[in-house]
Amino acid sequence: MISRQLIILVASSALVACQNNEEKTNPNSAKHDGAMVLALSWQPAFCETRPRLRECKSQSAGRYDVTHLSLHGLWPQPRRNAYCGIDEAEKKKDKKRRWKRLAGLELSTTLQQRLQRIMPGTSSFLHRHEWVKHGSCYARKPETYFADSLALMDAINGSKVQQLFSSSIGRRLSNQEIRRSFDEAFGQGVGSRVRVACKRDGERTLITEITLGLTGTITSIPDIRSLALASPTTKPGCPAGLVDPVGLQ
């Protein structure tokens, strides 16, 4: 006859196995450590095409985002991995760009303040959109997702990449110069994981965004070189564009 203790032990083992399997298969149950893309915006150029947005109306000389790269988002790959564990009502609001109506995010005061500085799109609730669509596939909590995103941004904005952009305001930069700055800042080969995006503004071609491929686990002081070299190379994108100064041109 099977003892009661043995039955309890078997049931407990089955429950643990089930929980472990769920954590492996549910992308929203644990921190993401696979392939991802970090998207960084050049905010003055973005605001040329979106001047009515709140963050663009308030942009002025001396503000952080006119001389530093801004956070657009951190996107787990492949891109079809989106809206993990998000209900249909929230998805519908997000897809209709009703970001203000999305549920508020529980973030520490310190992180909120940092996010507002480095992600000016928070004024238009971009952070809610990024969490719902992408962050939900990265971590259990928004705090983890944005803390890791900002750690990456701090590393890049504290490097030769930011120095290149801030010293090139008002002139054209080639994708080769941008890629080379990543190599100089983080190690040979990192630049080949960078793609440049541009947009026409009248007769001008503006650099609007750069993306960086990464694979691995992001720490509080991220190893950009290792993360980038674990990611596949990408096409360089836009050949060259202007680093737009603050204000409508």
Side-chain angles (χ1 to χ4, degrees), residues 114 146-156 218-222:
R114 291 181 61 213
F146 287 112
D148 288 356
S149 300
L150 294 182
L152 293 170
M153 293 300 302
D154 286 344
I156 293 171
I218 299 168
T219 59
S220 58
I221 303 177

Side-chain angles (χ1 to χ4, degrees), residues 149-187:
S149 300
L150 294 182
L152 293 170
M153 293 300 302
D154 286 344
I156 293 171
N157 275 324
S159 75
K160 289 185 177 180
V161 177
Q162 184 276 332
Q163 293 172 18
L164 175 66
F165 271 81
S166 63
S167 65
S168 302
I169 294 173
R171 78 171 182 87
R172 285 170 64 83
L173 271 183
S174 69
N175 57 31
Q176 292 179 339
E177 290 176 280
I178 295 170
R179 285 182 146 204
R180 187 161 55 244
S181 73
F182 273 88
D183 285 341
E184 293 173 354
F186 303 109

Side-chain angles (χ1 to χ4, degrees), residues 31 38 45 61 67 75 94 98 103 112 116 125 133 143 152 164 183 208 213 227 238 242-243 247:
K31 186 173 177 179
L38 176 68
T67 56
W75 307 328
D94 184 70
R98 294 175 180 172
Q112 281 182 328
Q116 288 167 1
F125 304 96
K133 186 172 183 179
E143 184 87 8
L152 293 170
L164 175 66
D183 285 341
T208 55
L227 291 166
C238 173
L242 181 76
V243 181

